[in-house]
Amino acid sequence: MPPSIDTRRATNVTLPVHLLTEARALGLNISQACEQGLATALAARRRENWLSENSDAIQSWNEHVETHGLPLAEYRAF
């Protein structure tokens, strides 16, 4: 069973002092900001990995469309 989204684990994060000071001064929730940044970085890395793993298929499909056109293009209303 996958872990619950509410399951949390304490961890240490090292941050530059100037960022930490400004975040505190602005009242930011540092844990939440780190979590959001990590989620964004993970999504970007997953996208990069997916594109890399599927680059041959993407290239093949693009070549097919260049040669034969889009499937069902004759039925497009625009």
Side-chain angles (χ1 to χ4, degrees):
M1 177 182 238
S4 168
I5 197 163
D6 294 329
T7 302
R8 301 276 184 199
R9 183 173 191 167
T11 187
N12 293 323
V13 177
T14 303
L15 301 169
V17 173
H18 72 280
L19 292 179
L20 187 57
T21 302
E22 186 174 2
R24 285 181 175 156
L26 294 173
L28 290 178
N29 180 323
I30 295 168
S31 292
Q32 189 177 49
C34 288
E35 183 177 345
Q36 289 171 348
L38 182 57
T40 300
L42 288 169
R45 182 58 57 93
R46 280 196 230 71
R47 181 181 187 279
E48 291 171 11
N49 289 349
W50 187 91
L51 287 172
S52 176
E53 292 167 3
N54 292 285
S55 64
D56 291 342
I58 293 168
Q59 181 179 354
S60 176
W61 176 250
N62 287 339
E63 290 171 1
H64 176 82
V65 170
E66 284 180 28
T67 303
H68 304 285
L70 291 172
L72 307 175
E74 63 190 85
Y75 301 106
R76 291 174 67 170
F78 54 93

